[in-house]
Amino acid sequence: SRCLFVCGSFEPNEFAFLQKALTRDAVFIDIGANEGFYTVFAAHLVGPLGRVIAVEPSPREFARLASNVAINRLSNVNLVKRGLGASRGKALLHIADPEHNGQNTLGDFGHAGVTAVEHVEIDLIDLDSLAQEQALLKVDVIKMDVEGAEFEVIKGGLKTLERYKPTLLFELFEEALRKQGSSAEAVLTQLAELGYLFYAFSESTGLPMPLEKLDSSSQNILAVHRSRPLH
């Protein structure tokens, strides 16, 4: 919210990509929807024939997400108050202080100076079960911002990824991944085995370019299935 208020934009390269990638009947899954900026943007793009599944487990962020969906009168958004993991179950979500409310995590905080204000037990569901529950006939794009749980989410969605081959937009943050027993290399290897190619947003043009090396801190990555190359 501060980025939008001060700068008038948030992750502009990513949103420019989505504006081209999401058609008027697309299905978009927002994993770690937070307050709903991606959700609201995608809902307007996909229109009444499309669908947005917004997944957010934090009670604090979910309330803001639901409010933003209501304010925008979005009838094509389904809200899911759960976390995603490798399987169904329970987990403890660490709610970050308001200054860092985009960094709620199932592991330890990846950035220094972040403190927990609450620890909430949440329900987990795997992506394959979610797709089945939502009766999805296709999945076009998945945005994933889960602060280190990316490997587990992918592990729980192998059937969905193999069947629908959606484009993935996600953050890789090595420190957060490490604190949940994973790594950026493990996530990319897992997706590469499913046939995905990787892109990063160029610092000079803002356009997706083949990934050459990972940023040492955190970086947004595009994973595109080789059967659906970028044009």
Side-chain angles (χ1 to χ4, degrees), residues 14-29:
E14 291 80 350
F15 280 82
F17 171 78
L18 289 179
Q19 194 159 18
K20 294 181 179 179
L22 290 174
T23 61
R24 296 296 291 173
D25 63 346
V27 174
F28 177 79
I29 303 180

Side-chain angles (χ1 to χ4, degrees), residues 46-136:
V46 304
L49 297 179
R51 293 182 65 188
V52 174
I53 313 300
V55 184
E56 175 53 53
S58 165
R60 180 182 64 191
E61 277 63 51
F62 187 87
R64 295 172 182 168
L65 169 66
S67 177
N68 284 326
V69 169
I71 288 170
N72 285 275
R73 300 178 181 178
L74 300 173
S75 60
N76 58 351
V77 176
N78 287 13
L79 301 178
V80 178
K81 193 177 180 181
R82 285 185 281 187
L84 257 65
S87 60
R88 293 177 181 268
K90 300 283 187 179
L92 195 64
L93 181 67
H94 308 295
I95 308 295
D97 58 272
E99 185 72 13
H100 304 95
N101 64 3
Q103 297 180 37
N104 304 329
T105 182
L106 296 175
D108 292 331
F109 296 114
H111 292 285
V114 183
T115 58
V117 295
E118 192 176 1
H119 306 280
V120 179
E121 186 179 67
I122 63 168
D123 292 317
L124 290 179
I125 187 173
D126 57 274
L127 179 58
D128 288 338
S129 295
L130 177 70
Q132 187 175 18
E133 279 191 7
Q134 296 289 328
L136 300 182

Side-chain angles (χ1 to χ4, degrees), residues 200-216:
F201 293 99
S202 168
E203 293 184 0
S204 58
T205 68
L207 298 174
M209 300 294 291
L211 179 65
E212 295 182 354
K213 65 177 181 178
L214 286 170
D215 193 288
S216 58

